[in-house]
Amino acid sequence: MAIDLNATSPFSLRHCGPRPQDKEEMLRVLGEKDERSFIGGVVPASIRGSGLKGLEDPMDEHAVLTRLGEIATKNEVWRSYIGMGYYDTITPPVILRNILENPGWYTAYTPYQAEIAQGRLEALLNFQTMVCDLTGMQIANASLLDEGTAAAEAMGMFLSIKNHPQNSVFYVADDCHPQTIAVLRTRARYLGVRVVVGPWNAATVSEDLLGVLVQYPATDGAVNGFADLFSRVHAVGAFAACAADPLALALLTPPGEFGADVVVGSSQRFGVPMGFGGPHAAFFATLDQHKRFVPGRIIGVSVDANGRRALRMALQTREQHIRREKATSNICTAQVLLAVMAGMYAVWHGPDGLRSIAVRIHDLAKVLAAGLEEFGHTVVHKTFFDTLRVKPKSGMRDSILRRAGEAHINLRLFADGDIGISLDETSTQADIEELFDVFIARNSQTIDITRLSKDLPEGFNGPLARSTPYLQHPVFHRYRSETEMLRYIHSLETKDLSLTTSMIPLGSCTMKLNATAEMIPITWTKFARIHPFAPPDQVRGYREIVDQLSQWLGVITGFPAVSMQPNAGAQGEYTGLLVIRAFHESRGENHRNICLIPQSAHGTNPASAVMAGLTIVIVKCDAQGNIDLDDLRAKAVEHRKSLAALMVTYPSTHGVFEEEIKHICAIIHENGGQVYMDGANMNAQLGLCRPADIGADVCHINLHKTFCIPHGGGGPGMGPIAVAAHLAEYLPSHPVVAVGGTHSIGSVSSAPFGSANIVIISWAYIALMGAAGLTDATITAVLNANYMAKRLEPYYPVLYRGAQGRVAHEFIIDLREFKSAGIEAEDVAKRLMDYGFHAPTVSFPVAGTLMIEPTESESKEELDRFSDALIAIRAEIQEVIDGKADSQNNVLKNAPHTAEVVASDAWKFPYPREKAAYPLPSVRSRKFWPSVGRINNAFGDRNLVCTCPPMEEYESAVHSDGRQ
């Protein structure tokens, strides 16, 4: 046999957990002779494809990193003074290494199981406290997607508070960031709101006004006072929103002090790299009276079963995927990892550090302004923070831009010929000297920076100087040495269960391996320090990655056009529906506004449809969990003249490959509608079938699920959409960067390619896997799910199966029969913590059930360990049923058991400590201790606290049993 000099170990063997011999054993348990026959019984023959032709051959990890290094060199890191909401920043190394680059932080899931997420929850509470302090507002959420969509959520919240009045006007100051204005225009269209853009001080305040939005400081640097405007707005019952720069608020009067109802913005410059547009954590702060309308998540303080302080997501009934068609927003993700970083940036620097950074930037800007004016340029706004709008001296603009290009400097260019300069945390005296060279040509005149500095007072001395303190909580003062900061970060990490601990088998969430090789490049300088609005010839590397990934996703889905702009899965849903609406309108069918949604759909589908201005009609499912064809046909025919779309998840959220999916799509097309396919379960399709071949017209793709971007504790995410040829011309555009279709729906995110920095992860994953590897991953995911279902079926009913008795890549076990014994799905979820596991998805899509998705990355050993835990819990349930255990005081109802409780001298339970803490021998060798006991959700909602209060304020308020 000849020597293969290029032989390497396929990465897919590292990505997929089961070894070949494990797969053979699993197939044997299932009664299958091989994978081919097994898959033949899972995926309907009518939709099975012939593989993924068009993908490149797989590369190994070293080759991928080498290739990405070559691509990175095509990006040019110029000194960007563009601003517009994006700034270079310094990520403290202790945060970079121990959070952003740490799988203990980036592989955790959304903190629905709060008892094993206390570290993340505390970090988010710090973030909320930081936001409230800087903005002067009373309540803040745990982050949103970006500044533009946060502003749109503010508009939507005002609409909800006023109960959706018709023909409302939302007035937007024309000196807001252009990308924010663009997102607002898109969002307003189907909310029945008219966006009017004009000078902030010329707003028409009348009875039809819903609210106003201003920028503080303005996009061109002006610092304006809005107290009078906000008073006039409030006088007519309207609302005032302010988009603010959090670093500027270290020096400027907070918007809460001059009457803002909502303050939004981006925390990007708090240590989060620009990354060509994201991901970055937006913030949203408002008044306490509006807390029930706040989009997204709020972290609140509560107590556990032992009366100890505990954190949780407060007001959980507002989670939009739970509210479905009653939702006011489709927000179901945040930017948790980035919010954690921004909050830790504030913890690390504290109030004095933040003020010092802000003062230094402002002082540099003052020196720059003084020098430019001394030479004869005009600084348009006399009150500014870090950004100057400069009217160049007559005849000098072209030479300034030429010298800037020679010096590798990016400046902002205004349509009227003015030039913008935004300084940032990385700016130095040397940068100011270089800018003087660009604007003044020092061979003709010399600027004495030392003289200018002596003549200027330190700090901000304008009429809106801040007088109130901020970041007074001890957490922002305690960790000044790196030793202490490192220990604080690590102490929080150890309170969270992540993929570093055990599998997280969440149905419809695909918590799979996020390989280190895929993650490494995102922090490289030539990817991290790129401004999203940098000129095209400086971002050729990023465009190569975006274009190639788009092409690959086209091969995978069967669609010819892709948009990367949606930066969350639910935003992809919304974007896909807008594209469908635009298509209908182009044909003169504006009246098509009915959206059919099966009962089995993903929960954000109805919420997205509401935002897109569609009227929802629910389609029934049959006893096997499939879409009821008769009901679908009847409703499609009934609404034939106004049918816009069907939203369908495939495989269904019930974990089934529906045999009639092609027929389902055909019924919709026959009645004039389009088919939107939710890509949440794409991990079961790769290499086996394609949305386009099934009959869909558009689908979104969760890169944070199928394509390995980590969940980050509840974000970041990416939800690009792929569309058929007839929909391509409607894809999202951007006001600054040329992207999108010729008849675009407008912008849906602030950045042209969404969270472009993390697109690198998905590019690396596909490059590592290739066509064969991706197909193998899908087959393995389906095999793992069916193996677990087989192991568990003697103990728990498996609720839905396909035509051949198989499940897809996830399955639902039914716990409702135990309700008569007093055992709920939540009890099983909490008991799993004692076994060292995160619970599957609880009571979704069916109440009283658990939806399990093991993914392809988990080994047979881990699948068995989790199955053993559920089997042991079934025996514990039986003890309650048989009366051997008390119906209320039992090991399930009291779960989880903390180390403090188990080690306490006062053991109050009628079962042994060992049974509580070490229910199986395997737990002894890898015990994960929940840091708090079961959390009292009702107490947290009755006593909503969403900032860091002094300990005594709530420790003294409860008894040991959690009573007030």
Side-chain angles (χ1 to χ4, degrees), residues 601-909:
H602 196 273
T604 51
N605 289 179
S608 296
V610 168
M611 283 179 54
L614 295 168
T615 299
I616 296 165
V617 175
I618 299 297
V619 178
K620 297 176 184 177
C621 289
D622 61 24
Q624 287 72 46
N626 299 308
I627 293 172
D628 185 321
L629 280 180
D630 291 337
D631 192 55
L632 174 74
R633 185 181 296 104
K635 286 171 177 171
V637 171
E638 178 187 355
H639 299 287
R640 181 186 184 96
K641 293 183 178 180
S642 55
L643 180 62
L646 166 74
M647 299 187 80
V648 60
T649 303
Y650 199 76
S652 74
T653 309
H654 288 161
V656 176
F657 278 97
E658 299 194 39
E659 295 281 334
E660 299 294 334
I661 186 62
K662 277 194 167 184
H663 190 189
I664 288 167
C665 295
I667 290 172
I668 300 304
H669 290 144
E670 288 166 6
N671 290 280
Q674 295 281 287
V675 176
Y676 164 86
M677 182 173 288
D678 187 312
N681 292 342
M682 190 69 69
N683 206 49
Q685 291 195 46
L686 270 60
L688 304 181
C689 58
R690 303 192 307 176
D693 300 336
I694 290 169
D697 299 288
V698 54
C699 73
H700 90 267
I701 305 153
N702 288 329
L703 298 187
H704 52 286
K705 294 182 180 181
T706 303
F707 295 99
C708 289
I709 293 174
H711 285 239
M718 273 289 279
I721 64 169
V723 300
H726 65 282
L727 298 178
E729 62 184 295
Y730 309 107
L731 289 175
S733 59
H734 194 271
V736 182
V737 178
V739 296
T742 54
H743 296 90
S744 171
I745 59 170
S747 299
V748 295
S749 298
S750 291
F753 303 103
S755 296
N757 185 233
I758 55 175
V759 166
I760 299 166
I761 301 167
S762 297
W763 184 97
Y765 173 62
I766 296 175
L768 285 163
M769 296 290 279
L774 292 175
T775 304
D776 182 48
T778 299
I779 293 172
T780 305
V782 176
L783 176 61
N784 282 359
N786 278 275
Y787 172 72
M788 286 190 69
K790 185 69 173 179
R791 279 214 61 195
L792 293 173
E793 68 181 2
Y795 308 93
Y796 302 92
V798 175
L799 194 54
Y800 301 115
R801 297 180 186 272
Q804 305 300 315
R806 300 297 187 198
V807 298
H809 66 310
E810 63 189 6
F811 63 100
I812 298 172
I813 59 172
D814 195 348
L815 307 180
R816 290 173 293 184
E817 67 181 84
F818 309 130
K819 191 175 181 67
S820 60
I823 302 299
E824 306 280 355
E826 182 185 21
D827 299 322
V828 175
K830 303 308 180 188
R831 180 57 173 155
L832 275 167
M833 298 176 191
D834 289 329
Y835 287 80
F837 288 107
H838 195 293
T841 304
V842 179
S843 291
F844 180 84
V846 180
T849 66
L850 297 179
M851 182 165 59
I852 302 171
E853 181 183 354
T855 84
E856 70 274 13
S857 296
E858 299 300 340
S859 66
K860 179 177 179 296
E861 178 184 16
E862 186 73 353
L863 303 182
D864 285 333
R865 214 169 65 85
F866 184 77
S867 298
D868 289 343
L870 278 176
I871 292 167
I873 289 172
R874 178 63 181 86
E876 293 169 351
I877 295 172
Q878 193 62 42
E879 290 177 351
V880 177
I881 293 172
D882 294 341
K884 296 177 181 178
D886 186 83
S887 62
Q888 293 302 314
N889 190 7
N890 59 63
V891 74
L892 289 111
K893 287 293 184 184
N894 296 324
H897 299 82
T898 64
E900 181 182 12
V901 167
V902 172
S904 172
D905 290 336
W907 181 254
K908 58 184 180 181
F909 305 120

Side-chain angles (χ1 to χ4, degrees), residues 87-108:
Y87 308 88
D88 209 352
T89 185
I90 298 170
T91 307
V94 67
I95 294 174
L96 176 71
R97 174 61 56 88
N98 296 291
I99 295 179
L100 181 58
E101 298 178 343
N102 182 354
W105 283 94
Y106 67 67
T107 69

Side-chain angles (χ1 to χ4, degrees), residues 532-552:
F533 306 153
D537 59 353
Q538 295 173 27
V539 296
R540 293 192 306 262
Y542 258 121
R543 289 303 297 262
E544 181 176 332
I545 287 173
V546 168
D547 291 346
Q548 190 161 43
L549 180 59
S550 297
Q551 177 191 343
W552 291 345

Side-chain angles (χ1 to χ4, degrees), residues 86 144-146 266-268 272-275 277-282 335 338 755:
Y86 299 95
L144 292 176
L145 300 177
D146 59 32
S266 170
S267 62
Q268 178 267 313
V272 181
M274 288 186 288
H280 308 134
Q335 300 281 23
L338 300 315
S755 296

Side-chain angles (χ1 to χ4, degrees), residues 299-311:
I299 307 309
V301 180
S302 188
V303 294
D304 74 358
N306 308 302
R308 300 292 186 188
R309 171 187 184 269
L311 307 175

